[in-house]
């Protein structure tokens, strides 16, 4: 019995190592997808149906609008030639195994030079091996997980980029905003212990915040009763509460805190950005609430953003939103990379994306850091009585 | 001191919900020796019923509460008739597994029909806070506490003073003997399910109002905790379930107040293990012999 188990284990190890070796050899053989003919092929690995369809469809619209505008303006300048972009898009059904098969299909069959999508961090992780094997870079407009662009060893993933900022970046921005703008010298933190997202935010906030964190309490996703924790925190004398977590719990925290008479500002990250937050908390309770977002129609005063909002409205007869704006920027970042490298070969695009500096996008001015995370403005939205009242950019 | 009293209030309002749920577990166990794991999901059904009647039919709170109790009572009878009655003479383990199956069916069935998104429960009652010294209590917390206690007293009256209650007690002591003296076992069991499920329905509507958020999986954790409460108090004993519920609510609150919020669920389950090792009959295990 034991012997059998031992051999089975040995077999698994052997199989695993062959797979790893096979992976290595094939990736060494590929040299990426060269640009051929008069077009640059842009892949779209979009969540057009399934759980993330709402984000995926926004991504499709932003990308399509960008491609249309680029082609209308003559195309992408590669050396002395101007090339048009051809968008080849596929629905990945918000399913991680389909995401990776779409990645393979786009890179090996359609021979695309770069890809936009998928949009979620989980799907991004599923797609990385296939993109990397084909040496085709992709930009995720919504994958904010810190570890997404990094390999296990801590080195950067060479073909993974994003146009959104990462989770911990929001934590830093919120720390600055709380201290400098809200003048909160003491904060209390009520954090979700069960998600990497909230833990990353908490860590980043604490590292950046100059004031004093008077207390840190933790809850679990799915908790409904925060009265005990809030009662405990109440007399600690803080100027603001930071709640790293998602809207389903944050809504309850806001409700219970306000009902208890805690009226200090409540800050959160993009996990707050859902209309259900105010519904769960109650509109009157959702006052003096701040959260970070990537793009906000109230905040953008520069011409680039205004033009984008107009163009989007003209084409789709709907207001622009966060994820279409990020996808739009992702497409233009690829154009920028091609033009600066004077080549649309996939490996060159990856080089160009890594070097992006002071790129003027609709979601802010982007400079790529060494971990392929864009350094750019964070928008902080203020909500009063359940309604967004203002939005400011924090750099 | 004020903080401690305030935490006590928080613990009691949480505990009264566990107590209401635990009563359903304990009654069903008392009468057919079945741990009805679908009980927590009946509570969820009650919350959804409240959500729909308030939103669509514009019921006020009391009407929503009573209609949810009636609906859940009937629903509990239906579940018993469809899922448990055919297994009446099967081994107990078969019925137990069926109960888990019913629980999954309800959770995923509701998620399929109404999506698994969190919904905000309509706020039919304006929140007012009363301040007594340093302690503040909201009208909804008071309402939960009072309604729960009233329902528990009513239940006790039904079990002790009515003919049906006598039949329930008789069936729980010896079903065959009860049948011999002319008690209709099927009716008695259906009635027990109706009572327990009605309490769960009431808890669902009150929790919906209190937390303002409901979803198809909302019954899972409270259901298991109520089960622990029932075991803690002595499964099969009505006063035991009520005590167990309050103890579990307070225990969770104390754990959080002491700074072990990450371990509050673990503490509840640890209590289950400890009680099963030390006093498997529960707190009230030996004092009362009559079971319902």
């Amino acid at each position: 019995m034991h012997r059998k188990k031992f051999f089975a284990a040995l077999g698994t190890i052997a199989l695993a190592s062959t797979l790893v070796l096979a992976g290595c050899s094939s990736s060494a053989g590929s040299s990426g997808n060269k640009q051929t003919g008069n077009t640059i092929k842009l892949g779209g690995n979009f969540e057009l149906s399934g759980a993330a369809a709402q984000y995926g469809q926004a991504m499709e619209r932003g990308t399509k609008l960008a491609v249309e505008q680029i082609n209308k303006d003559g195309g992408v300048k590669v050396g002395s030639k101007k090339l048009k972009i051809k968008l080849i898009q596929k629905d990945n059904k918000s399913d991680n195994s389909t995401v990776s098969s779409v990645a393979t299909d786009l890179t090996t069959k359609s021979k695309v030079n770069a890809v936009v999508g998928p949009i979620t961090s989980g799907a991004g992780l599923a797609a990385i091996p296939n993109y990397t094997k084909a040496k085709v870079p992709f930009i995720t407009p919504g994958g904010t997980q810190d570890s997404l662009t990094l390999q296990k060893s801590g080195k950067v993933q060479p073909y993974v980029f994003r146009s959104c900022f990462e989770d911990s970046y929001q934590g830093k921005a919120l720390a600055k905003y709380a201290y400098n703008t809200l003048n909160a010298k003491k904060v209390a933190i009520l954090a979700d212990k069960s998600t990497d997202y909230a833990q990353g935010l908490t860590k980043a906030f604490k590292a950046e915040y100059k004031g004093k964190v008077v207390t840190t309490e933790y809850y679990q996703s799915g908790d409904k009763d925060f009265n005990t924790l809030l009662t405990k925190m109440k007399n600690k004398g803080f100027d603001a509460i930071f709640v790293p977590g998602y809207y389903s719990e944050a809504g309850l925290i806001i409700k219970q805190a306000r009902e208890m008479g805690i009226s200090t500002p409540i800050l959160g990250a993009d996990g707050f950005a859902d209309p259900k937050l105010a519904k769960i908390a109650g509109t009157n309770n959702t006052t003096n609430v701040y959260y970070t977002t990537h793009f906000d129609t109230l905040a953008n005063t520069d011409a680039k953003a205004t033009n984008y909002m107009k163009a989007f409205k003209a084409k789709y007869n709907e207001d622009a939103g966060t994820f279409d704006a990020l996808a739009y920027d992702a497409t233009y970042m690829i154009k920028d990379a091609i033009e600066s490298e004077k080549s649309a070969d996939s490996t060159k695009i990856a080089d160009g994306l890594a070097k992006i500096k002071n790129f003027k996008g609709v979601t802010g001015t982007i400079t790529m850091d060494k971990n392929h995370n864009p350094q750019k403005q964070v928008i902080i939205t203020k909500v009063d009585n359940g309604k967004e009242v203002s939005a400011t950019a924090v750099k | 001191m004020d903080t401690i009293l305030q935490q006590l209030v928080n613990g009691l309002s949480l505990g009264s919900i566990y107590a209401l749920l635990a009563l359903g577990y304990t009654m069903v166990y008392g009468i057919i020796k079945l741990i009805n794991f679908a009980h927590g999901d009946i509570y969820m059904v009650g919350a959804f019923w409240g959500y729909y009647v308030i939103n669509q039919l514009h019921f006020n709170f009391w009407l929503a509460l009573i209609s949810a109790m009636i609906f859940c009572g009937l629903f509990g009878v239906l579940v018993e008739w469809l899922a448990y009655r055919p297994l009446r003479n099967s081994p107990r383990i078969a019925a137990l597994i069926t109960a888990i199956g019913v629980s999954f069916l309800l959770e995923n069935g509701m998620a399929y029909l109404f999506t698994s998104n969190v919904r905000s429960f309509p706020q039919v009652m304006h929140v007012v806070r009363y301040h007594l010294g340093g302690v503040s209590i909201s009208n909804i917390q008071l309402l939960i506490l009072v309604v729960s206690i009233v329902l528990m007293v009513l239940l006790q009256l039904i079990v002790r003073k009515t003919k049906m209650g006598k039949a329930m007690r008789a069936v729980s002591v010896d079903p065959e003997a009860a049948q011999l003296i002319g008690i209709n076992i099927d009716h008695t069991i259906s009635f027990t399910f109706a009572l327990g499920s009605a309490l769960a329905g009431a808890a669902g509507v009150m929790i919906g109002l209190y937390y303002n958020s409901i979803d198809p999986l909302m019954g899972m954790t409270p259901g298991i905790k109520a089960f622990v409460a029932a075991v803690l108090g002595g499964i099969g004993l009505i006063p035991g379930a009520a005590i167990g519920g309050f103890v579990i609510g307070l225990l969770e609150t104390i754990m959080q107040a002491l700074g072990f919020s990450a371990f509050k669920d673990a503490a509840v389950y640890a209590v289950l293990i400890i009680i099963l090792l030390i006093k498997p009959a529960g707190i009230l295990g030996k004092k009362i012999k009559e079971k319902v």
Side-chain angles (χ1 to χ4, degrees):
Chain A
M1 185 64 204
H2 282 290
R3 177 165 284 207
K4 240 184 198 170
K5 258 191 188 162
F6 173 69
F7 279 117
L10 204 67
T12 322
I13 292 167
L15 189 64
S17 45
T18 6
L19 283 175
V20 170
L21 288 176
C24 285
S25 60
S26 69
S27 70
S30 162
S31 58
N33 288 341
K34 300 260 184 265
Q35 182 266 322
T36 50
N38 285 327
T39 52
I40 298 164
K41 286 182 195 158
L42 177 68
N45 192 343
F46 297 154
E47 281 90 343
L48 296 177
S49 56
Q54 202 189 337
Y55 310 130
Q57 286 163 6
M59 169 163 69
E60 180 199 20
R61 289 166 164 198
T63 311
K64 271 193 172 160
L65 180 61
V67 168
E68 200 172 89
Q69 288 186 351
I70 293 169
N71 287 342
K72 213 175 86 191
D73 296 343
V76 185
K77 198 165 166 279
V78 184
S80 55
K81 282 191 289 183
K82 277 220 161 192
L83 301 176
K84 294 261 160 70
I85 295 181
K86 189 177 167 219
L87 178 66
I88 301 161
Q89 63 170 62
K90 294 214 153 68
D91 179 9
N92 63 36
K93 303 189 171 82
S94 309
D95 172 65
N96 284 354
S97 58
T98 319
V99 165
S100 56
S101 63
V102 166
T104 309
D105 195 81
L106 287 171
T107 52
T108 58
K109 267 203 200 140
S110 310
K111 300 270 179 206
V112 297
N113 305 105
V115 185
V116 176
I119 201 153
T120 61
S121 297
L125 285 173
I128 289 174
N130 291 346
Y131 285 132
T132 308
K133 213 194 291 180
K135 297 197 171 173
V136 174
F138 81 103
I139 303 186
T140 171
T144 57
Q145 191 176 315
D146 279 62
S147 58
L148 184 61
T149 56
L150 298 176
Q151 299 176 16
K152 285 242 162 60
S153 61
K155 272 199 280 181
V156 68
Q157 290 276 13
Y159 299 98
V160 185
F161 299 86
R162 52 180 143 214
S163 57
C164 51
F165 43 70
E166 74 277 19
D167 290 339
S168 59
Y169 195 72
Q170 311 180 51
K172 288 183 203 157
L174 281 164
K176 282 184 214 156
Y177 186 79
Y179 193 81
N180 299 332
T181 314
L182 294 177
N183 211 14
K185 304 298 179 209
K186 288 181 200 162
V187 294
I189 299 178
L190 183 51
D192 185 342
K193 183 118 193 166
S194 44
T195 61
D196 290 345
Y197 168 72
Q199 293 204 9
L201 280 171
T202 314
K203 218 169 120 192
F205 184 93
K206 280 188 170 170
E208 185 75 25
Y209 185 60
K210 289 203 198 77
K212 196 177 166 220
V213 178
V214 291
T215 174
T216 309
E217 293 291 341
Y218 295 100
Y219 63 88
Q220 311 275 323
S221 301
D223 278 0
K224 304 239 159 164
D225 197 313
F226 301 94
N227 284 311
T228 309
L229 292 175
L230 289 166
T231 304
K232 203 181 152 199
M233 290 162 67
K234 199 179 171 187
N235 299 322
K236 296 270 163 95
F238 47 83
D239 306 317
I241 309 179
F242 175 44
V243 182
Y246 292 105
Y247 67 89
S248 42
E249 287 85 20
L252 289 169
I253 290 173
I254 293 170
K255 176 179 157 73
Q256 291 168 23
R258 294 295 184 241
E259 283 175 0
M260 200 175 274
I262 299 173
S263 57
T264 56
I266 296 178
L267 291 97
D270 59 351
F272 275 34
D274 192 297
K276 289 211 185 85
L277 180 84
K279 274 197 188 153
I280 293 171
T283 27
N284 293 335
N285 293 328
T286 320
T287 290
N288 217 358
V289 172
Y290 300 81
Y291 61 80
T292 51
T293 141
H294 304 264
F295 175 80
D296 192 299
T297 43
L298 285 180
N300 291 290
T301 43
D302 77 321
K304 189 121 197 167
T306 324
N307 287 341
Y308 170 69
M309 288 188 287
K310 266 190 210 148
F312 191 89
K313 181 106 184 168
K315 184 166 165 68
Y316 299 109
N317 201 22
E318 239 179 74
D319 284 330
T322 306
F323 293 106
D324 49 73
L326 288 167
Y328 181 88
D329 273 357
T331 314
Y332 268 95
M333 279 158 72
I334 291 169
K335 170 178 183 273
D336 190 81
I338 295 170
E339 288 181 345
S340 64
E341 290 292 313
K342 300 188 177 62
S343 163
D345 295 347
S346 65
T347 47
K348 287 283 179 190
I349 297 178
D351 292 344
L353 285 172
K355 287 185 218 151
I356 279 182
K357 208 175 172 185
N358 291 327
F359 164 83
K360 296 256 183 301
V362 299
T363 62
T365 305
I366 294 171
T367 299
M368 206 54 98
D369 78 355
K370 65 176 184 358
N371 289 336
H372 296 180
N373 293 320
Q375 305 294 304
K376 60 172 175 175
Q377 66 184 13
V378 174
I379 311 284
I380 296 190
T381 305
K382 182 184 185 195
V383 181
D384 272 340
N385 289 318
K387 283 216 170 61
E388 209 178 280
V389 286
S390 67
T392 28
V394 179
K395 285 183 185 152
Chain B
M1 189 61 207
D2 284 349
T3 317
I4 297 175
L5 281 176
Q6 182 66 53
Q7 298 291 31
L8 196 67
V9 170
N10 296 338
L12 285 178
S13 57
L14 188 65
S16 53
I17 294 299
Y18 291 148
L20 273 186
L21 283 176
L23 287 170
Y25 270 107
T26 232
M27 283 198 299
V28 167
Y29 183 84
I31 204 153
I32 52 169
K33 304 283 175 288
L34 163 73
I35 309 281
N36 181 13
F37 276 112
H39 193 65
D41 302 300
I42 305 247
Y43 150 88
M44 174 270 294
V45 169
F48 270 81
W49 172 267
Y51 175 90
Y52 275 98
V53 293
I54 293 172
N55 270 346
Q56 308 293 331
L57 308 175
H58 306 291
F59 279 20
N60 66 21
F61 171 73
W62 297 107
L63 215 52
L65 184 77
I66 292 165
S67 66
M69 288 178 71
I70 296 171
F71 177 77
C72 285
L74 294 175
F75 193 72
V77 172
L78 183 74
V79 167
E80 193 271 333
W81 187 67
L82 286 176
Y84 306 138
R85 189 165 298 183
L87 296 170
R88 187 70 53 74
N89 298 318
S90 314
R92 269 161 71 182
I93 192 78
L96 186 76
I97 293 169
T98 308
I100 296 172
V102 172
S103 166
F104 284 158
L105 179 72
L106 289 180
E107 282 164 11
N108 295 303
M110 289 297 279
Y112 178 77
L113 291 175
F114 300 103
T115 75
S116 53
N117 288 335
V118 176
R119 285 153 198 272
S120 56
F121 199 82
Q123 291 300 286
V124 276
M125 207 169 267
H126 191 69
V127 182
V128 186
R129 289 202 81 87
Y130 307 106
H131 296 274
L132 307 159
V135 180
S136 102
I137 184 165
S138 75
N139 54 346
I140 296 180
Q141 279 175 319
L142 269 180
L143 179 95
I144 290 176
L145 211 56
V146 171
V147 171
S148 308
I149 291 171
V150 167
L151 288 176
M152 284 179 222
V153 171
L154 267 179
L155 178 70
Q156 196 68 356
L157 284 178
I158 292 175
V159 172
R160 296 274 149 209
K161 305 283 179 202
T162 63
K163 209 169 177 186
M164 201 48 153
K166 203 180 252 177
M168 283 165 72
R169 283 180 286 150
V171 173
S172 94
V173 173
D174 190 337
E176 280 167 12
Q179 204 165 16
L180 284 175
I181 56 166
I183 293 171
N184 186 332
I185 294 199
D186 283 343
H187 285 180
T188 314
I189 291 174
S190 294
F191 184 73
T192 311
F193 268 88
L195 273 185
S197 304
L199 293 182
V205 174
M206 289 196 289
I207 274 298
L209 186 70
Y210 185 40
Y211 293 139
N212 189 18
S213 114
I214 61 169
D215 64 90
L217 297 184
M218 67 185 278
M220 228 149 93
T221 318
I224 294 173
K225 285 182 182 163
F227 165 64
V228 177
V231 174
L232 175 66
I235 194 143
L237 307 171
I238 288 173
I243 293 172
F246 284 113
V247 170
I248 294 291
L250 285 171
L251 175 75
E252 261 189 39
T253 307
I254 292 167
M255 287 304 284
Q256 290 187 72
L258 293 179
F260 303 107
S261 52
F263 299 101
K264 72 174 165 56
D265 292 356
V268 173
Y269 303 136
V271 162
L272 177 66
I273 295 171
I274 293 167
I275 200 89
L276 287 177
L277 286 175
I278 296 173
K279 203 167 184 300
I283 296 174
L284 299 183
K286 275 178 189 159
K287 285 177 193 158
I288 303 166
K289 278 196 178 140
E290 251 171 352
K291 287 180 182 173
V292 163

